[in-house]
Amino acid sequence: MNDLPRIDRPKSHAAHERAKRVIPGGVNSPARAFGGVGGTPITIHRAEGPYLYDVDGNRYLDFIGSWGPMILGHGHPAVLDATIAAMKDGSSFGAPCEKETELAELVIDAMPSVEMVRFVSSGTEATMSAIRLARGYTGRDLIVKFAGCYHGHVDSLLVAAGSSALTLGVPNSPGIPKGCTQDTLILQYNDAAQLAEVFSAKGDAIAGVILEPVVGNMGLIPPSEEFRKELRRLTAKHGTLLIYDEVMTGFRLAYGGAQELFGDTPDLTCLGKIIGGGYPVGAYGGRRDILQKVMPAGPVFQAGTLSGNPVAMAAGIATLKELKTNPPYARLDAQSRRIGEGLLAAARDSGHAARFQRIGSMWTLFFAAAPITDYASAVASDKAKFARFFWAMMDRGVYLPCSQFEAAFTCGAMTDAHIDETIAAARDALASLIP
Ligand code: KE4
């Protein structure tokens, strides 16, 4: 049976051809290029609630949610009202405004490990600044990251990177001088023994360890308890800063992020996505004694024209207040669990080896038989079959992340009927795939 896209999307094709003439690859981020699934990226006209609408008038249930930010769904009234009001007061001042302090207080209230916070305009800026701060605070140079984890396009961290770097086969991008990565040690996620080995040899020279506390950028990979606890023990023992990159998991897995879910206390936390409610916001925060090293309080430099932008702050405040007042987490967890049960049953009935890995409303269907625990097992999954499944779901009105190495996100605007529709579409799609 033909697995290729069944629905023609002429306006998306034309829009993409036009974009390619003036924007590299026709996209402003390679994650949207459909490099992992082939075909032409879909151009979106608008979004509302749980839906995306493309320029050809097709409607899709949206499981990307802008790669995480849209946990409330698109166009939530509280966020709309807050941003429109903020815009009427002025879109950018280049001077402090109280919305920055208000959002900082909400973040600090949500995450006990965060005693102070600095806002930036992207997750990349957050991790870049956190790495600089770890080095400035400890006076050390070495940084540890894990193969397959993605922390944005920071030179020193764009090695063995996940997400679109992995999808498009450039986990080590050209253009990055050796000098930028010579102090970056790459270890394997979930390998506690290797951690102990490296720390016994170099622990006192390591400024920081940065990781996704739950990986979304290799597809969904949970950490083992042993790995998490060994990481905290060894970093504390050697005076190394433990940096949780919660750009994706923050306010997603729980109101207090993965660190609330696991009861962990990192030294620094990076945030993004949900704290901007769909607007460009990143943040890094943590222990007061560390953050007090950030300029102008201390000597570690970091700056940004639109950091703390009042409209973006208003969106973040409205989003976090809604999440705090009406926490969706139990419902998102139950809906995502149901999706997993439905997709696994459908894969089994259609003869496809599959694994569904999930924490809360972050999940991934891997076409693999064994558990996916690290970079090697993730890249061994059947990416070609995932690509065919992606298009089969697209043609049935369900928009999944366009790569095996991404997490899908359920959102608060989805009802049980939407989940039923998704499971039915997956059953039909999987039956259409050649085993
Ligand atoms: P941004 O610079 O894209 O705002 O954040 C970088 C980043 C940092 N840390 C984690 C854990 C992240 O997941 C990200 C960005 N996530 C990707 C999707 N997996 C963003 C999509 C894109 O690159 O277009």
Side-chain angles (χ1 to χ4, degrees):
M1 185 179 288
N2 180 354
D3 295 341
L4 293 178
R6 295 180 315 186
I7 297 178
D8 194 12
R9 299 172 174 94
K11 289 184 179 173
S12 264
H13 283 275
H16 189 57
E17 289 310 309
R18 179 184 169 204
K20 280 197 297 188
R21 289 195 286 273
V22 290
I23 299 170
V27 292
N28 283 307
S29 183
R32 313 169 194 165
F34 280 28
V37 296
T40 300
I42 308 291
T43 297
I44 300 302
H45 168 54
R46 68 183 192 91
E48 187 178 349
Y51 295 116
L52 292 173
Y53 297 83
D54 71 16
V55 290
D56 289 288
N58 300 302
R59 187 185 75 175
Y60 308 91
L61 266 174
D62 176 17
F63 284 97
I64 313 178
S66 180
W67 302 101
M70 310 315 290
I71 190 170
L72 298 177
H74 296 283
H76 190 284
V79 179
L80 265 183
D81 293 348
T83 48
I84 290 167
M87 274 185 265
K88 288 177 179 171
D89 288 338
S91 56
S92 185
F93 309 137
C97 76
E98 289 180 294
K99 289 186 177 68
E100 299 166 74
T101 308
E102 186 177 355
L103 186 56
E105 289 166 347
L106 283 168
V107 169
I108 290 163
D109 171 64
M111 298 183 169
S113 76
V114 179
E115 296 173 328
M116 294 193 94
V117 65
R118 167 62 63 85
F119 290 112
V120 292
S121 298
S122 70
T124 294
E125 270 194 277
T127 59
M128 173 179 71
S129 308
I131 293 296
R132 183 181 310 132
L133 177 55
R135 286 170 159 156
Y137 177 79
T138 61
R140 303 174 182 177
D141 293 339
L142 289 183
I143 290 289
V144 167
K145 79 168 292 273
F146 297 92
C149 284
Y150 178 71
H151 304 289
H153 61 95
V154 195
D155 276 356
S156 59
L157 298 177
L158 207 48
V159 278
S163 183
S164 52
L166 183 54
T167 301
L168 297 165
V170 280
N172 305 306
S173 171
I176 297 175
K178 285 191 187 61
C180 287
T181 56
Q182 64 190 19
D183 294 317
T184 306
L185 301 177
I186 302 163
L187 303 186
Q188 298 311 312
Y189 200 82
N190 276 327
D191 188 337
Q194 185 189 40
L195 263 182
E197 204 180 295
V198 169
F199 266 87
S200 69
K202 304 183 174 180
D204 294 341
I206 298 174
V209 176
I210 187 167
L211 74 154
E212 296 180 58
V214 170
V215 180
N217 290 297
M218 286 188 262
L220 195 290
I221 296 180
S224 71
E225 185 175 11
E226 180 200 12
F227 177 64
R228 280 187 16 254
K229 291 198 179 312
E230 188 65 343
L231 200 47
R232 181 65 283 184
R233 183 184 72 82
L234 289 167
T235 48
K237 179 181 174 188
H238 291 274
T240 298
L241 299 190
L242 178 57
I243 307 169
Y244 271 18
D245 178 352
E246 294 228 41
V247 168
M248 191 183 287
T249 57
F251 298 94
R252 165 63 62 180
L253 297 182
Y255 188 64
Q259 56 194 274
E260 175 187 314
L261 208 62
F262 297 139
D264 290 350
T265 306
D267 300 304
L268 291 176
T269 296
C270 302
L271 295 166
K273 298 183 193 277
I274 289 174
I275 64 166
Y279 287 75
V281 177
Y284 62 105
R287 283 177 18 210
R288 180 177 295 277
D289 65 313
I290 304 172
L291 269 289
Q292 287 285 43
K293 295 291 184 189
V294 178
M295 193 168 278
V300 178
F301 188 78
Q302 180 267 308
T305 301
L306 294 176
S307 299
N309 172 271
V311 179
M313 295 291 105
I317 290 164
T319 299
L320 265 54
K321 282 185 173 176
E322 179 60 28
L323 290 171
K324 186 172 183 178
T325 313
N326 303 302
Y329 300 104
R331 185 163 62 85
L332 292 178
D333 185 72
Q335 287 181 338
S336 302
R337 182 186 304 113
R338 222 155 59 75
I339 288 176
E341 289 161 359
L343 266 54
L344 279 179
R348 188 187 54 242
D349 295 349
S350 312
H352 299 291
R355 294 216 28 107
F356 187 88
Q357 301 194 171
R358 171 183 79 86
I359 292 193
S361 60
M362 279 173 65
W363 49 269
T364 301
L365 183 75
F366 290 96
F367 288 100
I372 309 290
T373 57
D374 57 12
Y375 182 86
S377 48
V379 297
S381 57
D382 188 339
K383 298 174 283 300
K385 183 173 285 189
F386 178 86
R388 302 204 318 270
F389 177 60
F390 169 83
W391 279 111
M393 291 293 271
M394 266 306 220
D395 286 343
R396 291 165 176 79
V398 178
Y399 200 132
L400 295 175
C402 48
S403 165
Q404 177 68 91
F405 308 122
E406 296 287 357
F409 303 96
T410 318
C411 81
M414 290 177 179
T415 64
D416 287 346
H418 293 129
I419 304 308
D420 294 340
E421 280 170 42
T422 303
I423 293 168
R427 178 163 286 280
D428 195 41
L430 287 162
S432 78
L433 295 187
I434 302 157

